[in-house]
Amino acid sequence: MKILFFCTAHNSLSQRLFLVLSRNHSISIEYALCAEKMIEAADLAKPHLIICPFLTSAVPQQVYETYLTLIVHPGPPGDAGPSALDWMLMGDDGTEADSQRLLRDNRFNPVGRSHWAVTVLQAIAEFDKGPVWAFDQFPVNINDTRVSKSSLYRGPVTHAAVAAILAAIQRIEAAASLASKPCGAPLSPPLTPRLDSIGSAVTANISPGLSADRAFAELSVTTSEPFLGGNTHYRPLLKASERHFDIRKHTASAISRRIRSADSQPGCLSNLFGPKLYLYGGIIENPTLLSSKQGHIVPGSIIAVRNEAVCVATCDNKGIWITHVRQVKAKTDVTLWPKVPAAPGLEKLGISTGSPSSWFHPLLLQTQSEEWAKSYHDTFREIWVDFVTDGQQRFAYLYFDFYNGAMSTEQCRRMVRCLEYISSTANGRDKGLPLAAVVLMGGGSYFSNGIHLNVIDSAADPALESWYNINAIDDVVEKLLLDLPACGITTIAAIRGNCAAGGVALAAACDVVLAGQHVVLNPAYRSLGLSGSEFHSVSYRGRCGTKGAEMALRTMTPLSADDARGIGIVDYVLDVAPESLNAAVQAHVENLFARGDKLGPTPWAKTGAWKRNVDTSPAGLALARTAELGQMSMDFWSARSERYHSRRRSFVRKVKPSSTPLRFATHRREEGMMDDEEQDTFDSVEWFAEKSMQSLKRNLSDRAVRSIKDFFRGCDNYERRNVDSSMGRDDEKFGAGATVFGCYYNN
């Protein structure tokens, strides 16, 4: 089947759907930049079906009346509106039908709903009101501070959307098949059709006129149950001002829900620190850690700073962690401001986060072992280590849960310190057992996405900060390739969440890479204008071969875990549900080290085998790092840096693209057509230098022409026709009284 995606952006959900559906269907993607572009794309693609996984604008009537168009709505049947997840996380349980009364009287339920859902419905004139083709539901706990709008979207919402879309396509195919049968055949397709193949006669019958069975809106796909989360309503856009909280009145839980409901866009608008800022985070601090000797704490006081996040006292004697802030876009600002870690972001605005003597010391970790220990109470923590024993040896599970998977210079340096601490325990003097392996767990939503583009973009010198950041993440990878192996420690990466760019190379540097079957990987850096580092020239070539490594870096489309295993980046795919992944990782690791016969751990023979194909000696790694950083220095400072700096800024500040890349919009690609990033000239410093020179010449030429024209405007006795003829502009008239050499004033 030919399927066309309409997407506001090709995000985590649309990428996952693309990978799943591409197994059996032909998929093309169009950014929903305007109605005209969408109509044009549909005319070019002539799809059997249109799917809108992530769409914030309306589908043109001309499209949905011609092609059956499915909308993926992150809410259950009957729910409607652009802020479905936001309302639910705020505590809207459906008992109050009037949204304005719900806000005005603060009738949010602090417990919230037990379940939420994703609905696949047909596009019609009214938003979210079309026939339902499928829905799936999942349990939700709005008071789990690990659950934010973005984490929910990347996790349960994406998994439910995949299940619902697959069911919807099956049902549409079944309905089309029935429609092609002679009159008198039953018209209602079964809830779970089984079709081995779909012929052209069936696809030809896929149209907006197909009828969805009413049961599709009543029973969920995976459980065949009605929606368990309560009543549903239309809810309007939840504005930033409607999430505002009063630190003197709202509890930590209420504040946490409001902040997490706005993550990662638009953020929770608040004047907590004085000027209005968008706030992110919302993790609650355990009140038992607050020192009783301090007496009454004024709500709004900063009581701790950890890992560049700030903890603010609340009225119920708890704390709320603000991890990131973003300035509000003023009318004069062309683009959005970057989102940056809270403490340095506030300091940059002249808002003091206090001195160490004014912080609550009980919240600050003191010893090295405590600094990296797993926390057993509610608090904010980015990096921690969980040591696990199997009776004969120890394993260190290293978690690094960085916001959106981005690793700043400071975060990378903390990672290095943590790895050094882990290395110091290798001989077992602390725990009595030798340390067999370090397992990199990353975060639940993201494993890692490489360097921190928002911090870089906010720096006074983005090029220099880029250099510091790439060197810092290289230091992390060097620990994995040199220091830990020197201590006899095996390295394992467990990719539990999506992963991109330097994050994929970070994982690939390990001896073994495990991945959940649901994760999406994007190993290429090119779309951002970077050549990349993190020793990928060693790990990718060792794992994938020279051609495979080049393909991984040049093919700028997402990979599934199975795709990544096929080319060698991933060693094992764990085909379990996301909620079972942690246990599956631990079981797999322990099985790898299980004692075999007299020869030892028999499954272990292939561990790190990829290193035999490349030079991982200190000298070999130093040479690889130097070569990679040589390319990165050109990305930051040469004429070629135009590609990185402009793309980074557009990405960070959410600049709307002007077109859909051809690698996604295959319906627009004709023979010989390529995206800029797909061409060899994209790597050429000389090409960018020539391009810059030509642009400069054009600008200088234009200025020269204007200068000559402005000069003669001031000369009353000049024969106008001579100048006009020399400029090729016979019909242009110069204005009287122009300033001589006016170009110096008017440009």
Side-chain angles (χ1 to χ4, degrees):
M1 184 188 297
K2 291 194 298 181
I3 299 176
L4 175 64
F5 279 11
F6 283 152
C7 303
T8 298
H10 195 21
N11 66 359
S12 57
L13 171 55
S14 62
Q15 289 184 31
R16 177 66 182 147
L17 277 176
F18 171 82
L19 291 170
V20 170
L21 296 181
S22 293
R23 299 168 188 164
N24 299 305
H25 306 285
S26 173
I27 313 296
S28 191
I29 300 164
E30 178 78 17
Y31 290 166
L33 302 176
C34 63
E36 291 75 19
K37 290 283 187 182
M38 296 166 76
I39 293 170
E40 183 181 71
D43 288 342
L44 288 170
K46 293 181 172 52
H48 300 116
L49 182 66
I50 294 176
I51 299 177
C52 306
F54 171 57
L55 189 64
T56 59
S57 56
V59 178
Q61 181 179 1
Q62 181 178 332
V63 171
Y64 67 71
E65 287 186 349
T66 305
Y67 302 96
L68 179 56
T69 302
L70 300 181
I71 306 294
V72 178
H73 175 68
D79 177 86
S83 303
L85 294 174
D86 312 51
W87 285 97
M88 184 270 294
L89 285 170
M90 285 272 283
D92 175 11
D93 64 359
T95 57
E96 174 56 68
D98 188 330
S99 58
Q100 292 305 311
R101 186 181 299 133
L102 178 64
L103 286 167
R104 185 183 65 244
D105 301 339
N106 192 26
R107 297 190 180 187
F108 293 104
N109 185 338
V111 176
R113 299 176 187 264
S114 63
H115 289 74
W116 198 241
V118 174
T119 303
V120 175
L121 49 88
Q122 190 169 332
I124 61 172
E126 291 184 85
F127 278 167
D128 304 330
K129 294 291 187 179
V132 172
W133 282 97
F135 88 95
D136 202 21
Q137 61 184 320
F138 49 87
V140 64
N141 177 7
I142 67 171
N143 287 309
D144 183 346
T145 57
R146 296 170 298 178
V147 175
S148 65
K149 180 170 68 171
S150 56
S151 70
L152 197 65
Y153 188 87
R154 287 190 295 267
V157 167
T158 294
H159 308 318
V162 169
I165 278 288
L166 290 175
I169 290 176
Q170 281 190 323
R171 291 166 177 175
I172 288 168
E173 290 172 340
S177 179
L178 291 171
S180 66
K181 291 183 178 180
C183 295
L187 297 179
S188 179
L191 289 176
T192 55
R194 295 178 58 87
L195 298 174
D196 296 328
S197 62
I198 301 298
S200 58
V202 173
T203 54
N205 281 316
I206 297 177
S207 71
L210 290 179
S211 178
D213 194 286
R214 291 173 57 185
F216 298 162
E218 297 171 358
L219 300 177
S220 64
V221 169
T222 56
T223 65
S224 296
E225 294 179 300
F227 178 58
L228 304 175
N231 297 327
T232 55
H233 308 282
Y234 168 79
R235 298 297 192 208
L237 176 72
L238 189 59
K239 300 176 182 177
S241 59
E242 293 169 336
R243 307 173 205 256
H244 176 70
F245 58 85
D246 188 336
I247 196 70
R248 299 164 301 177
K249 298 178 181 179
H250 287 100
T251 65
S253 294
I255 295 171
S256 173
R257 290 191 295 271
R258 288 169 182 255
I259 293 174
R260 290 183 287 112
S261 76
D263 184 84
S264 62
Q265 292 293 338
C268 183
L269 188 62
S270 173
N271 59 359
L272 175 64
F273 298 106
K276 284 189 175 182
L277 297 169
Y278 289 107
L279 308 182
Y280 306 85
I283 299 94
I284 296 174
E285 178 60 49
N286 190 323
T288 61
L289 290 183
L290 301 185
S291 173
S292 59
K293 296 180 181 180
Q294 299 293 333
H296 176 68
I297 307 167
V298 178
S301 303
I302 295 177
I303 55 177
V305 177
R306 179 193 297 146
N307 299 159
E308 300 180 297
V310 298
C311 186
V312 179
T314 57
C315 65
D316 54 345
N317 200 35
K318 296 182 181 181
I320 198 80
W321 285 96
I322 307 300
T323 63
H324 292 76
V325 297
R326 180 165 62 85
Q327 295 184 56
V328 177
K329 181 180 179 293
K331 292 181 179 180
T332 54
D333 294 330
V334 178
T335 59
L336 297 175
W337 288 85
K339 191 186 302 179
V340 296
L346 293 173
E347 293 284 355
K348 192 173 182 179
L349 292 172
I351 303 168
S352 175
T353 57
S355 61
S357 61
S358 68
W359 299 342
F360 260 359
H361 288 276
L363 286 179
L364 299 177
L365 301 168
Q366 302 297 319
T367 67
Q368 187 183 45
S369 60
E370 287 177 333
E371 182 180 5
W372 309 118
K374 180 180 179 180
S375 177
Y376 291 94
H377 62 270
D378 290 337
T379 190
F380 164 72
R381 182 73 63 81
E382 286 186 322
I383 305 173
W384 69 94
V385 184
D386 186 17
F387 287 99
V388 176
T389 65
D390 68 352
Q392 297 174 319
Q393 53 208 334
R394 288 185 305 133
F395 306 99
Y397 290 84
L398 172 56
Y399 296 81
F400 43 103
D401 195 2
F402 299 133
Y403 185 76
N404 284 343
M407 302 173 69
S408 69
T409 303
E410 178 57 31
Q411 289 168 323
C412 290
R413 289 170 179 169
R414 289 202 299 270
M415 276 276 287
V416 167
R417 293 197 300 272
C418 184
L419 288 169
E420 289 172 345
Y421 163 68
I422 292 173
S423 299
S424 72
T425 71
N427 60 13
R429 67 176 184 272
D430 294 331
K431 303 296 181 180
L433 292 173
L435 184 64
V438 172
V439 185
L440 304 186
M441 299 292 281
S445 288
Y446 285 114
F447 178 81
S448 169
N449 284 328
I451 59 177
H452 202 312
L453 300 178
N454 276 269
V455 169
I456 289 169
D457 202 67
S458 68
D461 186 341
L464 186 59
E465 181 57 33
S466 298
W467 181 252
Y468 291 152
N469 202 164
I470 198 64
N471 274 276
I473 198 170
D474 278 359
D475 290 343
V476 174
V477 181
E478 193 167 283
K479 290 288 179 185
L480 302 174
L481 288 169
L482 279 181
D483 294 15
L484 291 174
C487 296
I489 302 172
T490 300
T491 56
I492 302 172
I495 303 177
R496 301 178 301 143
N498 294 347
C499 190
V504 182
L506 170 66
C510 292
D511 293 313
V512 180
V513 179
L514 317 176
Q517 59 86 24
H518 62 280
V519 303
V520 176
L521 298 93
N522 282 279
Y525 309 76
R526 288 179 70 81
S527 60
L528 193 68
L530 289 176
S531 53
S533 191
E534 297 96 2
F535 295 91
H536 70 73
S537 61
V538 176
S539 61
Y540 286 179
R541 194 165 69 252
R543 287 180 165 277
C544 313
T546 302
K547 291 185 177 179
E550 182 179 2
M551 183 185 73
L553 294 170
R554 293 291 293 258
T555 305
M556 292 162 286
T557 52
L559 298 175
S560 68
D562 287 328
D563 293 336
R565 179 177 56 184
I567 65 174
I569 289 178
V570 168
D571 298 306
Y572 302 95
V573 176
L574 304 181
D575 191 4
V576 297
E579 59 270 18
S580 304
L581 188 55
N582 283 4
V585 167
Q586 186 169 331
H588 193 93
V589 169
E590 292 178 0
N591 182 60
L592 284 174
F593 281 86
R595 297 296 177 182
D597 55 22
K598 294 181 180 179
L599 297 178
T602 52
W604 201 234
K606 295 183 178 179
T607 299
W610 66 267
K611 293 181 179 178
R612 302 170 192 165
N613 305 322
V614 286
D615 184 359
T616 58
S617 68
L621 293 177
L623 182 62
R625 179 169 181 165
T626 301
E628 290 176 2
L629 290 178
Q631 290 295 317
M632 292 295 278
S633 68
M634 290 189 282
D635 292 338
F636 301 153
W637 286 294
S638 76
R640 191 174 76 187
S641 67
E642 172 197 334
R643 67 180 194 174
Y644 162 62
H645 291 304
S646 61
R647 288 161 188 258
R648 182 204 66 243
R649 187 174 179 85
S650 295
F651 174 81
V652 166
R653 297 173 184 260
K654 311 298 181 187
V655 176
K656 186 176 181 179
S658 58
S659 62
T660 309
L662 294 173
R663 58 185 177 274
F664 301 146
T666 55
H667 55 280
R668 293 187 180 274
R669 192 195 288 268
E670 297 178 5
E671 186 176 355
M673 294 174 63
M674 291 191 293
D675 293 321
D676 289 345
E677 305 94 322
E678 296 176 303
Q679 302 180 51
D680 291 338
T681 52
F682 193 64
D683 294 320
S684 171
V685 174
E686 292 76 16
W687 186 85
F688 278 96
E690 179 63 25
K691 178 183 175 183
S692 178
M693 183 60 68
Q694 290 175 356
S695 177
L696 179 62
K697 285 179 178 178
R698 284 195 300 270
N699 290 336
L700 290 175
S701 176
D702 291 343
R703 289 190 177 199
V705 170
R706 287 197 300 271
S707 176
I708 294 171
K709 290 166 65 176
D710 287 340
F711 171 77
F712 287 115
R713 280 196 185 101
C715 302
D716 292 337
N717 61 346
Y718 188 77
E719 293 291 336
R720 184 182 65 71
R721 62 181 176 276
N722 292 336
V723 178
D724 289 345
S725 177
S726 67
M727 299 295 174
R729 302 287 296 277
D730 293 329
D731 59 343
E732 181 175 338
K733 295 183 179 180
F734 290 147
T739 305
V740 177
F741 300 116
C743 60
Y744 292 109
Y745 302 95
N746 299 331
N747 286 342

